[in-house]
């Protein structure tokens, strides 16, 4: 346990001693601010329209804070698709390039501990990103009283979703010594899992069901609506486990190949 | 302490080592000597448990490296060919990290890091960023990393590479001091290094062990050749042909030649002093014998000899 913590700690220091952490954080915070404003404006306008309609057709209830948080958090899920490869790209590829992997793989650590350490290191950084979205979100609490249930489930969904993308990124970073290739490859794979959604909307019957199930985004919908369904949780957890298992195997094969 | 048996490692396209077996005794410094691509790094990587062997086994302190990797790794300090340094960290930060992953208890962390820094004399740069250090300091930080937690076995892959002569001397002295308490295996392709630091030498070439002995004995094992250098005043061609005909002489090479004098290298059968025979031949022919001395073959020559002999053998078959 202590050595896993040591790996996480070292990785966090590495993030913050390179520009990557700052670039990712800055872009993320900036974009989340911009998107929050845009969504806020859109929802307000819709609110205004529905008020005018209410004068003609009688009042209809509208959950404005809920709409805002839902819109905002699902936008964040898209932005995260772009950010996470930057968090995971160097995890193993840098170690391979610098030869420090030889230290990790000859220390009295199991390969599993190394994999878990790396995964949680990226997970910790991701958590910082997630927490930073509370800055715009708190606005909702200042000026209204949004229902906390859906917000909490949405965050849980984002957490599971982010961690499974991270697991994919961790796996891909074991495949190459080059950070850029690692990032681009991860991005490509994640994009593919995302595009499945689009393909699903054009497909028919069974293939539609299969494609919808494979899409990493479709499983997020229910979370943002405040629904906690086991099937979605199972989906993300299994994606995570499969990717981490592949990472573990990839390190084993790295040892054989030298 | 270390016992290597019939180790073979095949990479996808090539066999890096084949049937390598040897033992290292407790407290001994063993030198692993071989040209580039001989398989030194491969052998070491298998011993430290970085990569599994294709065949064969390695035991360290009784533990088999494939079956009990962690028990073996806990007993080994390893300096890879390229020191595994995180360039963005400070020396202290790095060594603390290594101490943590090696399981040094929290309360001993600071004292252990201080101890190894003093051992390799890097205390004066302890708060510096590793990436900004000179090559010599980096190498020493790499060595410090291997010494953390005082492992009984040290595996050092080319520990003096890239250092200046003074630093090389320091590192060699350090390694000698470490022997006794530690069992050391070091690899090198520099011969004087082996002669100066090691108790025993393994010469490896193209994945096969071609000689194992003390540096002193290797000096004597002249592959069946005794060498003599002589300087003669006389007609070169005649001198050479006469000397070649002298009993016990196997070969004569001309080293230099200037105004009627020549320096020659004569190879004779092993453990047979041919010097008096040579002197007699020269004097009886009426030439001037200016110099005559036995040229003890240095390890370097042996090494070249061993490897070139192998090559000739290959070509012949
Ligand atoms: N990961 C690998 N994949 C394929 N072949 C390899 C690999 N590592 C080493 N080899 C090959 O195995 C042989 C032995 O290499 P090794 O690195 O063990 O030699 P070495 O004695 O350490 O050489 P050097 O003095 O250059 O460090 C070489 O021919 C090398 O090309
Ligand atoms: Mg080598």
């Amino acid at each position: 346990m202590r050595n896993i913590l040591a790996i996480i700690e070292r990785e966090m220091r590495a993030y913050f001693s390179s520009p990557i952490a700052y670039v990712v954080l800055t872009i993320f915070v900036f974009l989340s601010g911009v998107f929050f404003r845009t969504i806020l404006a859109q929802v307000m306008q819709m609110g205004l329209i529905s008020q005018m309609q209410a004068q003609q057709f009688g009042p209809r209830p509208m959950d404005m804070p809920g709409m805002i948080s839902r819109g905002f958090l699902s936008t964040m899920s898209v932005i995260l698709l772009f950010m996470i490869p930057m968090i995971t790209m160097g995890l193993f590829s840098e170690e391979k390039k610098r030869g420090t992997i030889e230290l990790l793989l000859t220390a009295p650590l199991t390969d599993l501990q190394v994999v878990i350490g790396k995964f949680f290191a990226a997970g910790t950084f991701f958590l910082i990103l997630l927490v930073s979205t509370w800055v715009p979100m708190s606005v909702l609490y200042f000026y209204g009283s949004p229902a906390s249930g859906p917000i909490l489930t949405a965050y849980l969904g984002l957490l599971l979703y982010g961690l499974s993308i991270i697991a994919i990124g961790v796996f891909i970073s074991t495949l190459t010594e080059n950070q850029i290739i690692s990032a681009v490859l991860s991005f490509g794979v994640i994009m593919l899992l995302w595009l499945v959604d689009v393909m699903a909307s054009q497909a028919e019957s069974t293939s539609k069901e299969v494609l919808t199930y494979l899409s990493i985004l479709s499983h997020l919908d229910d979370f943002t609506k405040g629904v906690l369904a086991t099937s979605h949780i199972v989906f993300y957890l299994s994606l995570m486990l499969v990717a981490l298992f592949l990472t573990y195997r990839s390190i084993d094969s790295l040892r054989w190949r030298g | 302490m270390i016992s290597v048996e019939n180790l073979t490692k095949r990479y996808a396209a090539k066999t890096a080592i084949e049937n390598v077996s040897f033992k290292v005794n407790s407290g001994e410094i063993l030198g692993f000597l071989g040209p580039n691509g001989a398989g030194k790094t491969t052998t070491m990587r298998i011993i430290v448990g970085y990569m599994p062997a294709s065949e064969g086994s390695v035991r360290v302190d009784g533990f088999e490296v494939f079956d009990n990797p962690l028990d073996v790794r806990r007993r080994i300090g390893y300096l890879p060919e390229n020191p595994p340094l995180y360039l963005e960290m400070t020396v202290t930060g790095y060594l603390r990290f290594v101490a943590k992953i090696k399981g040094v208890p929290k309360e001993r962390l600071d004292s252990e890091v201080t101890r190894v820094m003093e051992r390799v004399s890097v205390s004066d740069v302890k708060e510096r960023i590793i990436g900004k250090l000179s090559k010599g300091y980096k190498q020493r930080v790499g060595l410090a990393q291997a010494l953390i937690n005082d492992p009984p076995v040290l595996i050092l892959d080319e520990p003096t590479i890239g250092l200046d002569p003074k630093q090389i001397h320091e590192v060699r002295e350090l390694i000698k001091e470490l022997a006794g308490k530690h069992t050391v295996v070091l690899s090198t392709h520099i011969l004087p290094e082996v002669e100066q630091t090691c108790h025993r030498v393994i010469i490896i070439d193209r994945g096969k062990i071609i000689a194992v002995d003390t540096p002193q004995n290797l000096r004597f094992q002249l592959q069946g050749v005794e060498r003599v250098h002589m300087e003669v005043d006389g007609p070169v061609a005649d001198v050479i042909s006469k000397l070649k005909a002298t009993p016990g002489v196997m070969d004569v090479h001309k080293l230099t030649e200037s105004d009627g004098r020549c320096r020659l290298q004569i190879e004779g059968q092993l453990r047979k002093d041919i010097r008096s025979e040579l002197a007699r031949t020269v004097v009886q022919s009426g030439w001037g014998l200016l110099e005559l001395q036995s040229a003890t073959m240095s390890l370097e020559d042996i090494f070249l000899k061993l490897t070139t002999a192998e090559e000739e053998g290959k070509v012949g078959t």
Side-chain angles (χ1 to χ4, degrees):
Chain A
M1 190 58 209
R2 221 175 120 241
N3 28 34
I4 295 179
L5 283 178
I7 293 178
I8 298 175
E9 186 196 336
R10 196 206 66 72
E11 209 63 58
M12 290 312 285
R13 280 174 197 276
Y15 278 137
F16 285 98
S17 61
S18 80
I20 290 178
Y22 302 100
V23 169
V24 169
L25 264 174
T26 312
I27 293 180
F28 186 76
V29 168
F30 174 75
L31 285 181
S32 60
V34 170
F35 277 105
F36 188 80
R37 252 207 78 188
T38 318
I39 291 165
L40 194 70
Q42 271 174 4
V43 173
M44 299 270 257
Q45 201 170 16
M46 279 161 66
L48 224 61
I49 293 169
S50 86
Q51 251 175 14
M52 290 191 314
Q53 287 173 341
Q55 285 168 354
Q56 290 176 3
F57 310 109
R60 268 194 304 170
M62 200 183 143
D63 172 23
M64 293 216 325
M67 286 170 72
I68 295 168
S69 71
R70 204 156 42 230
F72 174 63
L73 292 177
S74 42
T75 313
M76 287 301 101
S77 66
V78 179
I79 298 178
L80 284 171
L81 282 181
F82 294 86
M83 296 293 151
I84 286 174
M86 280 189 259
I87 306 177
T88 57
M89 64 182 180
L91 286 175
F92 280 101
S93 52
E94 268 301 287
E95 304 258 8
K96 282 173 77 171
K97 187 162 137 203
R98 304 238 172 265
T100 46
I101 189 100
E102 218 164 332
L103 173 69
L104 284 186
L105 297 189
T106 57
L109 298 168
T110 62
D111 290 0
L112 193 64
Q113 285 173 326
V114 175
V115 172
I116 290 176
K118 293 287 188 187
F119 174 64
F120 280 127
T124 309
F125 190 84
F126 167 65
L127 222 55
I128 297 176
L129 292 186
L130 217 52
V131 167
S132 79
T133 59
W134 273 95
V135 179
M137 284 296 283
S138 62
V139 170
L140 290 181
Y141 283 89
F142 266 121
Y143 298 106
S145 47
S148 289
I151 294 183
L152 282 179
T153 55
Y155 270 99
L156 177 69
L158 277 181
L159 185 70
L160 288 170
Y161 159 88
L163 288 179
S164 40
I165 300 179
I166 285 175
I168 295 171
V170 172
F171 167 58
I172 289 171
S173 80
T174 62
L175 302 179
T176 166
E177 290 189 359
N178 186 317
Q179 288 201 62
I180 307 298
I181 293 180
S182 165
V184 172
L185 214 59
S186 306
F187 181 67
V189 170
I190 298 166
M191 243 353 206
L192 209 66
L193 285 175
W194 190 53
L195 280 177
V196 174
D197 219 25
V198 181
M199 294 193 267
S201 63
Q202 292 160 355
E204 311 257 304
S205 61
T206 21
S207 55
K208 187 185 182 81
E209 268 171 47
V210 171
L211 289 174
T212 312
Y213 186 76
L214 283 178
S215 151
I216 36 174
L217 270 185
S218 70
H219 293 270
L220 206 52
D221 286 346
D222 280 347
F223 284 102
T224 57
K225 288 176 193 146
V227 180
L228 265 190
T230 341
S231 70
H232 300 314
I233 298 178
V234 167
F235 172 81
Y236 285 127
L237 287 180
S238 16
L239 187 59
M240 225 178 285
L241 285 179
V242 167
L244 291 179
F245 177 72
L246 288 176
T247 313
Y248 180 76
R249 295 307 310 229
S250 170
I251 292 195
D252 195 49
S253 110
L254 207 84
R255 282 186 185 275
W256 280 97
R257 278 178 289 127
Chain B
M1 194 65 179
I2 305 173
S3 127
V4 173
E5 270 166 43
N6 298 320
L7 217 54
T8 298
K9 177 73 187 179
R10 282 183 283 270
Y11 292 115
K14 104 174 240 134
T15 304
I17 54 169
E18 211 176 328
N19 263 316
V20 166
S21 303
F22 61 91
K23 281 191 164 54
V24 193
N25 304 319
S26 245
E28 186 180 33
I29 308 183
L30 176 83
F32 225 62
L33 182 64
N36 292 119
K40 307 181 290 292
T41 300
T42 303
T43 311
M44 293 184 141
R45 282 178 161 177
I46 295 171
I47 297 175
V48 299
Y50 176 67
M51 55 166 60
S54 308
E55 275 161 44
S57 76
V58 175
R59 287 182 170 277
V60 176
D61 204 9
F63 293 99
E64 214 289 321
V65 67
F66 191 77
D67 302 329
N68 307 83
L70 296 194
D71 288 307
V72 170
R73 290 189 220 152
R74 261 190 280 275
R75 284 166 175 76
I76 291 184
Y78 172 45
L79 173 65
E81 200 163 14
N82 306 305
L85 304 171
Y86 293 104
L87 300 179
E88 78 282 356
M89 296 180 103
T90 63
V91 174
T92 312
Y94 171 68
L95 293 174
R96 285 177 66 92
F97 167 68
V98 176
K100 282 184 205 160
I101 59 171
K102 287 195 179 180
V104 175
K106 215 181 191 128
E107 59 279 5
R108 268 189 36 228
L109 208 64
D110 289 317
S111 62
E112 182 61 10
V113 167
T114 311
R115 183 186 74 84
V116 296
M117 285 197 294
E118 274 164 15
R119 200 80 189 75
V120 302
S121 322
V122 292
S123 307
D124 51 327
V125 294
K126 63 180 175 189
E127 294 309 325
R128 296 262 299 275
I129 302 288
I130 294 176
K132 302 244 156 78
L133 294 177
S134 69
K135 177 88 176 104
Y137 268 109
K138 281 184 188 152
Q139 188 73 15
R140 279 193 264 170
V141 175
L143 205 54
Q145 161 277 126
L147 295 177
I148 278 194
N149 215 9
D150 212 16
V153 176
L154 292 173
I155 308 284
L156 312 174
D157 201 351
E158 314 216 7
T160 58
I161 202 161
L163 302 183
D164 65 35
K166 184 167 164 288
Q167 293 164 336
I168 289 179
H169 181 72
E170 284 168 9
V171 170
R172 284 183 193 157
E173 288 306 308
L174 177 65
I175 291 171
K176 277 195 249 180
E177 286 169 30
L178 292 170
K181 212 171 143 240
H182 301 265
T183 306
V184 184
V185 179
L186 66 85
S187 79
T188 177
H189 47 244
I190 311 165
L191 289 153
E193 185 145 293
V194 186
E195 284 189 292
Q196 287 169 24
T197 45
C198 301
H199 302 137
R200 224 148 46 92
V201 189
I202 289 180
I203 296 180
I204 180 170
D205 184 39
R206 269 166 282 168
K208 294 198 181 105
I209 291 184
I210 49 178
V212 185
D213 216 326
T214 60
Q216 291 76 20
N217 281 351
L218 278 176
R219 221 182 242 284
F220 289 126
Q221 260 190 33
L222 297 177
Q223 287 274 294
V225 189
E226 196 91 70
R227 262 186 204 175
V228 173
H229 283 179
M230 64 195 298
E231 193 167 357
V232 179
D233 192 351
V236 182
D238 283 359
V239 172
I240 290 176
S241 64
K242 264 262 172 67
L243 288 178
K244 267 192 179 159
T246 308
V249 171
M250 282 157 49
D251 206 358
V252 178
H253 300 285
K254 185 174 70 190
L255 297 173
T256 55
E257 180 186 0
S258 62
D259 37 74
R261 296 169 173 195
C262 55
R263 270 190 76 81
L264 304 167
Q265 174 174 295
I266 293 98
E267 284 179 6
Q269 279 153 12
L270 184 63
R271 295 198 185 89
K272 190 166 179 189
D273 202 340
I274 49 172
R275 280 176 294 180
S276 47
E277 287 287 348
L278 291 171
R280 196 170 304 132
T281 310
V282 172
V283 174
Q284 280 176 356
S285 312
W287 303 321
L289 178 60
L290 304 172
E291 200 188 316
L292 175 68
Q293 64 174 181
S294 163
T296 331
M297 218 186 214
S298 72
L299 203 51
E300 201 133 7
D301 294 325
I302 297 173
F303 179 59
L304 280 176
K305 191 81 193 167
L306 287 170
T307 46
T308 46
E310 171 107 327
E311 227 155 306
E312 280 161 12
K314 278 238 170 95
V315 172
T317 49

